[in-house]
């Protein structure tokens, strides 16, 4: 079952009533995992650009859509390699600032993965 995101404020996200103070990855199963930012930071020196390694970690077979909350100021982007990887896997990527992305997540139908950055 897909968890409902109740809201976000700078530095946290509230999912099904629980406050989480780190970036999250929501799997197809609804499981909430801590984002593995180090996969991108190792390549780019920042977690604001999603690397191919992190994209491969995010992807799940059967996923049709990925909703990315790019932070409150919209600082997270996909690297060219990550973008091409999701295209190859036929996953539609919707990237928008985290407060807006939450609305997309709560309305989403079908096989959807979520990645939400909770700060900048």
């Amino acid at each position: 079952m897909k968890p409902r995101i109740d809201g976000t404020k700078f530095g946290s996200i509230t999912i099904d009533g629980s406050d989480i103070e780190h970036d999250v990855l929501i799997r197809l199963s609804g499981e909430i995992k801590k984002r593995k930012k180090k996969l991108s930071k190792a390549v780019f020196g920042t977690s604001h650009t999603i690397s191919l390694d992190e994209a491969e970690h995010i992807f799940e077979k059967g996923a049709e859509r990925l909703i990315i909350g790019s932070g409150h100021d919209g600082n997270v982007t996909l690297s060219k390699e990550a973008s091409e990887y999701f295209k190859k896997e036929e996953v539609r990527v919707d990237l928008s600032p985290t407060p807006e992305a939450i609305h997309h997540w709560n309305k989403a139908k079908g096989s959807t993965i979520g990645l939400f950055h909770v700060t900048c």
Side-chain angles (χ1 to χ4, degrees):
M1 163 136 182
K2 185 176 84 153
R4 176 167 177 74
I5 302 177
D6 305 311
T8 185
K9 60 184 181 191
F10 194 89
S12 72
I13 189 166
T14 305
I15 303 175
D16 286 339
S18 296
D19 289 334
I20 301 169
E21 295 184 345
H22 54 73
D23 293 1
V24 295
L25 172 62
I26 303 176
R27 293 290 186 190
L28 289 175
S29 66
E31 181 183 13
I32 300 164
K33 310 270 289 177
K34 186 173 184 178
R35 177 184 170 205
K36 291 197 174 188
K37 298 193 291 188
K38 65 183 178 187
L39 294 172
S40 292
K41 198 165 189 167
V43 176
F44 296 108
T46 178
S47 62
H48 287 159
T49 303
I50 296 173
S51 68
L52 176 59
D53 287 344
E54 187 173 5
E56 290 172 343
H57 172 73
I58 292 166
F59 175 74
E60 283 184 86
K61 193 166 183 61
E64 298 169 354
R65 184 177 180 193
L66 168 61
I67 297 173
I68 299 175
S70 60
H72 288 264
D73 297 328
N75 287 339
V76 173
T77 60
L78 289 174
S79 67
K80 182 178 181 224
E81 297 82 9
S83 181
E84 288 171 356
Y85 175 76
F86 287 120
K87 280 182 190 150
K88 180 182 73 110
E89 296 295 343
E90 299 180 351
V91 175
R92 182 177 120 205
V93 177
D94 296 325
L95 189 137
S96 54
T98 298
E100 185 181 323
I102 286 171
H103 293 292
H104 297 302
W105 173 262
N106 286 333
K107 292 179 184 176
K109 304 279 188 241
S111 299
T112 305
I113 301 167
L115 179 73
F116 299 91
H117 182 61
V118 297
T119 56
C120 43

